[in-house]
Amino acid sequence: MSDIRLLGPEHLPLCRRLEGDRDWSTDEAKWRLMFEAGEVYGVDAADGDGLAGCVVVTRYGDTLAGVGMMLVAGRYGRQGLGTRLVEHALEVAGDRIVELTATRFGRPVYERLGFRPTGSLTIAMGPMQGAAWTSAVRVATPDDHAALLDLDAEATGADRSKALTALLAMAERTIVTDGGFAVAWNAGPHRVIGPVVAPSEEAARELIRAAVHGADRDMRIDLLDAYPGLRPWLTGLGPAEGPAALPTMVYGAHRHPGDRGRYVAPILISMG
């Protein structure tokens, strides 16, 4: 099997073809954000036909790293390539705490390598009724960005300024309130809402409503465990839950860093 190598944006078609092999479909906008904010690694297929596997590592300052998009082509399954890719991701992460969202296929690999389950993530997608502005929220200006980065660092326990600044530059709308914010950006058929940091469940509802307001497509939000009441609330407004809740996992610590009680939704889901 070939060596693991760093890929560039020019390899995006190979990555999308690989995920197609596994019946995944990640919008090109999300892939481009992963290439800009993180590092995409791949292994060339021994038969010369594209990639045998890939994984994405996003380093957030010196304390945290995210791992996702761990994909192995079906014809190279059960040959240890997934384990090799994750081990490489852990080497790239160094001493950082590593977190991810696992699929049922990837979870056994992660558990063997020492990842611990810490919670869950639920995907909600679809049209949303009742999205509207209230006086509790407003549209962010560039003058708000430094404060948003600080709020994000408090919630996640890490400096994610590189990734978040890249996202703010492409966002359709960023909504702020006292102690919270939500970023809305378009990816394929969805208005993606995330990240979301909120000081309360009611503030989270206001931020989400305003972020969705006026969208020309269905919404998608990946809800973490911060405020469990958001899940039935969203379902009541139209968006349906996607697949069964996915486990969030962490390596190098017993829990995720930061004040995760305020962390409503991640930047994007990059499952593996």
Side-chain angles (χ1 to χ4, degrees):
M1 191 72 70
S2 301
D3 292 337
I4 297 174
R5 65 185 179 103
L6 183 65
L7 304 179
E10 67 274 14
H11 299 110
L12 191 152
L14 293 178
C15 295
R16 298 197 72 186
R17 183 178 167 205
L18 175 61
E19 68 172 354
D21 177 82
R22 301 317 303 259
D23 295 324
W24 283 27
S25 180
T26 301
D27 186 76
E28 184 172 328
K30 293 184 180 181
W31 269 112
R32 293 199 178 280
L33 182 60
M34 286 187 280
F35 272 105
E36 182 171 356
E39 299 158 74
V40 183
Y41 293 92
V43 176
D44 294 315
D47 59 11
D49 187 15
L51 296 173
C54 73
V55 68
V56 178
V57 184
T58 307
R59 291 183 276 193
Y60 302 120
D62 297 325
T63 59
L64 182 67
V67 172
M69 301 308 292
M70 194 277 284
L71 296 165
V72 175
R75 64 190 186 282
Y76 291 105
R78 300 186 181 278
Q79 298 180 31
L81 181 55
T83 298
R84 186 178 160 207
L85 286 165
V86 179
E87 288 175 337
H88 180 78
L90 293 176
E91 289 178 8
V92 171
D95 295 331
R96 296 170 180 83
I97 296 171
V98 180
E99 59 185 22
L100 54 79
T101 301
T103 63
R104 64 186 180 91
F105 300 107
R107 181 170 181 169
V109 174
Y110 303 132
E111 289 181 333
R112 285 197 300 271
L113 292 173
F115 281 84
R116 301 169 178 267
T118 54
S120 64
L121 179 146
T122 303
I123 302 170
M125 296 183 291
M128 181 173 170
Q129 306 300 318
W133 293 97
T134 74
S135 59
V137 298
R138 62 176 175 83
V139 176
T141 71
D143 290 340
D144 294 307
H145 287 184
L148 300 189
L149 297 180
D150 288 343
L151 282 173
D152 186 79
E154 291 170 7
T156 63
D159 176 6
R160 303 199 308 172
S161 55
K162 179 181 178 181
L164 193 51
T165 298
L167 183 60
L168 290 171
M170 62 181 281
E172 295 296 313
R173 178 185 300 154
T174 301
I175 305 296
V176 295
T177 190
D178 187 18
F181 70 92
V183 182
W185 50 293
N186 289 343
H190 295 112
R191 166 72 59 88
V192 179
I193 311 302
V196 179
V197 173
S200 67
E201 182 175 318
E202 182 55 37
R205 293 182 183 188
E206 298 286 352
L207 289 165
I208 293 168
R209 284 193 191 102
V212 175
H213 180 70
D216 61 355
R217 61 200 73 197
D218 288 351
M219 67 93 74
R220 169 175 170 157
I221 187 168
D222 302 335
L223 289 171
L224 297 166
D225 295 326
Y227 302 112
L230 291 175
R231 291 167 180 163
W233 170 74
L234 273 175
T235 300
L237 294 178
E241 289 190 7
L246 300 164
T248 55
M249 305 185 79
V250 68
Y251 176 92
H254 292 284
R255 57 183 292 275
H256 298 277
D259 182 5
R260 297 303 175 103
R262 292 185 284 158
Y263 191 39
V264 176
I267 288 180
L268 57 83
I269 184 171
S270 51
M271 300 179 293

